[in-house]
Amino acid sequence: MPTIKDVAKRAGVSVGTVSRVLAKNETVKQPLKLRVQAAMEELDYKPNLAARALRTNSIDVIGLVVPDITNPFFAQLAKNIEMEAAKRSHSVMLANSHDDAETEKTQISALLDRSVCGVIVVATSDGKIERGTDVPIVSLDRRFGEYPLVATDHFNGSQTIAEHLYNLGHRKIAYIAGPLSMEVARRRKEGFVSRIEALSTDADPIDLSLYEGQFDYDSGEELGRFILENVPRSNRPTAIAAASDQQAIGVLRSARDLKLDVPGDLSVAGFDDITLASLVVPRLTTLRQPFEALAATAVDQIFESAGKAEDHAVAGEVIVRESTAAV
Amino acid sequence: MPTIKDVAKRAGVSVGTVSRVLAKNETVKQPLKLRVQAAMEELDYKPNLAARALRTNSIDVIGLVVPDITNPFFAQLAKNIEMEAAKRSHSVMLANSHDDAETEKTQISALLDRSVCGVIVVATSDGKIERGTDVPIVSLDRRFGEYPLVATDHFNGSQTIAEHLYNLGHRKIAYIAGPLSMEVARRRKEGFVSRIEALSTDADPIDLSLYEGQFDYDSGEELGRFILENVPRSNRPTAIAAASDQQAIGVLRSARDLKLDVPGDLSVAGFDDITLASLVVPRLTTLRQPFEALAATAVDQIFESAGKAEDHAVAGEVIVRESTAAV
DNA sequence: CTGAAAGCGCTTACAG
DNA sequence: CTGAAAGCGCTTACAG
């Protein structure tokens, strides 16, 4: 592997000069610059990143820690972050926290040890790291410690879903929230509820019932069955909105078990737009999380962290598919 | 951040000695070693990995390039590789090739530039990298260039599925292969066919029909419909085995459209055991790819690449669920 | 068994 | 505008 020294020799300049053209330092005169670039070309020179890292104390790598890369939502995020990083010729180092606060800390520390130039964490805990660092850290989707959060505008997204259902004529609606110990779950619920309440009038009242579950399939199926079986026929909701696609898909399953037609007898809406959402029968109406924008914003934050470290809410988009229809 | 120098000073030894205890070099005498370890503890010393990388020309990082981390199969692999790497306190650097041969090369190069200690690639092309390197490279699941391949034993796995169907009493079987331009698809098909042929006797013949499609949902649905609709009733297979879960799920969908009961009227088996396989109705019988073993073997290869570089076939496991039953 | 020292390949003040 | 040189924090022959 040729080094900067080889390039310097070949171009007949000092290593300092080579380094300066590498750094796109404009002070190098054109003719010299050209000679250096030619030499780099001829030798197929690639800078040794470790050496650079040692000097600058930072490397062109963004650390990313997610609870579990196997979760399609995080995978989407990871992919978009990788693409965004690539645009700036940065790589990404991936770590899973396996939903464990301790592991999460360890992983972040390991990343910092490796002199990454920033870390993006989709938190599983609200923990903070004690170790002081001036490496920018940003939370994605779920807040980590006191670091700025980039996330979908859950509140507004849920409002939009509520509106969609309302416009379809639904006046008996059930909402299945996620675990309310989680901020995301609360925000989504608040958005939904507030919109429904604003829409409900004495003349045209909306009957909204609330449930709380986990974000997963089973919870959706269980709650779906409960709502559909136990609520007296006359009061049974004509639409169920869930705080996650997984829950919504669970509801779909319970509806099928009970021989209810979706969207004929019941409209179902989710949140997230995971891949599966467009694969189930019927395809799920949902709020798409803006993966690209989320990733782009998070990566931006890393690079522009010089400035303020503030939260960013990114707007999602309602994707209307087959699981919702007019009453 | 304390450096090795600080530790040496505090312990009253030379930096060489500190470095040696860091390297678990047994030549350091017990009392000194203890003093050094105490000093490291007190200062909360963490070695500067960039400096180490510069010296040793290698860093505790494994590069991983997959076609698309969003594909649940690759995500599973990535997760297990990360866990396996963590066991040896290595991190993993992730890159997506987006199914593009050019990007794949670029990504591998970028990884090599970063002095990773090995790279695992789930190939999208059979391309090879021109750049000579002594960094071990291993192909996972799909072969890359001439690098050793770690993969599920597709041949044997398919045989097991064939056997499962046979034991259930099926004698009219359709097999939907993947694109036969792909080695995986060929191996799976060959395994299935060979086992069926071995099992078929004059006294108890098996009627096997073969189809070829893509590995995806749509292809499965299309072929499923074709088989179920166009084959004369008397000859209609009682079981369809697909080369992938996605295809199998497509078949499931076509069966539902045609009002056929699975497994009452038709048994369906897949291959891979993606998450969705246990989520569909009915839950899919399939061959589970051994993610943990695959990841462990690949990582092993990186570390023991000193020796031979040979292929490894890892055995999968039949997961019997609800989509297959006795005729 | 341990220390002193060279050197990995860069970047960046400091001169000129 | 460019060069000479120091130094980032380690590891590892080389002595002793």
Side-chain angles (χ1 to χ4, degrees), chain A residues 109-306:
Chain A
S109 264
L111 255 12
L112 259 16
D113 285 348
R114 289 180 154 72
S115 331
V116 296
C117 66
V119 0
I120 297 176
V121 14
V122 180
T124 91
S125 77
D126 49 1
K128 51 192 65 165
I129 47 166
E130 51 292 332
R131 177 228 285 251
T133 177
D134 46 358
V135 173
I137 297 183
V138 357
S139 344
L140 219 203
D141 184 50
R142 311 196 200 156
R143 168 165 266 121
F144 180 76
E146 293 155 356
Y147 299 100
L149 173 69
V150 174
T152 297
D153 192 335
H154 303 292
F155 187 87
N156 183 66
S158 289
Q159 288 196 313
T160 329
I161 289 282
E163 232 154 80
H164 168 69
L165 260 17
Y166 177 86
N167 291 337
L168 251 22
H170 296 280
R171 295 297 117 106
K172 287 181 201 155
I173 302 178
Y175 182 78
I176 301 182
L180 294 176
S181 56
M182 293 177 66
E183 193 184 341
V184 207
R186 285 197 301 273
R187 295 293 294 158
R188 291 184 186 178
K189 179 188 159 194
E190 285 160 8
F192 196 89
V193 171
S194 71
R195 197 76 195 98
I196 291 293
E197 282 174 353
L199 254 16
S200 183
T201 61
D202 286 349
D204 183 13
I206 307 175
D207 175 7
L208 174 65
S209 50
L210 298 172
Y211 300 84
E212 176 182 354
Q214 298 306 118
F215 272 133
D216 59 17
Y217 299 102
D218 290 345
S219 192
E221 185 166 355
E222 191 181 317
L223 251 19
R225 172 162 300 128
F226 178 83
I227 298 171
L228 267 11
E229 269 184 350
N230 291 356
V231 176
R233 186 100 201 184
S234 58
N235 262 330
R236 188 201 276 164
T238 59
I240 299 182
S244 79
D245 282 353
Q246 305 199 329
Q247 290 176 320
I249 290 169
V251 171
L252 248 29
R253 206 180 287 175
S254 69
R256 186 162 51 218
D257 281 356
L258 298 171
K259 314 270 184 235
L260 287 175
D261 180 55
V262 175
D265 303 322
L266 177 76
S267 284
V268 177
F271 198 110
D272 284 341
D273 197 22
I274 61 178
T275 317
L276 193 45
S278 58
L279 258 24
V280 288
V281 182
R283 301 175 205 276
L284 193 66
T285 291
T286 189
L287 188 110
R288 171 178 293 159
Q289 298 225 36
F291 296 106
E292 310 74 16
L294 246 19
T297 310
V299 172
D300 273 358
Q301 280 284 297
I302 296 290
F303 288 98
E304 272 116 53
S305 66

Side-chain angles (χ1 to χ4, degrees), chain A residues 5-115:
Chain A
K5 229 171 171 173
D6 301 319
V7 177
K9 195 175 299 172
R10 182 166 199 119
V13 299
S14 75
V15 297
T17 301
V18 177
S19 179
R20 278 184 274 262
V21 346
L22 232 27
K24 305 216 177 352
N25 192 326
E26 288 311 328
T27 66
V28 181
K29 279 283 204 180
Q30 193 66 0
L32 265 200
K33 188 172 177 175
L34 259 28
R35 253 162 57 209
V36 171
Q37 285 171 335
M40 297 200 299
E41 190 78 20
E42 288 160 26
L43 296 171
D44 189 28
Y45 167 74
K46 319 237 174 190
N48 178 318
L49 268 8
R52 180 176 293 168
L54 176 57
R55 276 300 313 223
T56 62
N57 231 330
S58 163
I59 193 173
D60 291 0
V61 172
I62 293 176
L64 171 66
V65 3
V66 298
D68 181 358
I69 189 64
T70 265
N71 178 318
F73 175 67
F74 301 139
Q76 275 283 8
L77 245 22
K79 178 181 179 178
N80 282 285
I81 287 171
E82 202 255 13
M83 289 169 67
E84 201 61 35
K87 280 188 199 160
R88 309 171 189 239
S89 47
H90 277 57
S91 295
V92 359
M93 210 128 87
L94 173 74
N96 295 287
S97 63
H98 306 295
D99 279 308
D100 178 73
E102 214 37 62
T103 310
E104 184 171 67
K105 275 185 203 169
T106 317
Q107 298 283 27
I108 296 178
S109 264
L111 255 12
L112 259 16
D113 285 348
R114 289 180 154 72
S115 331

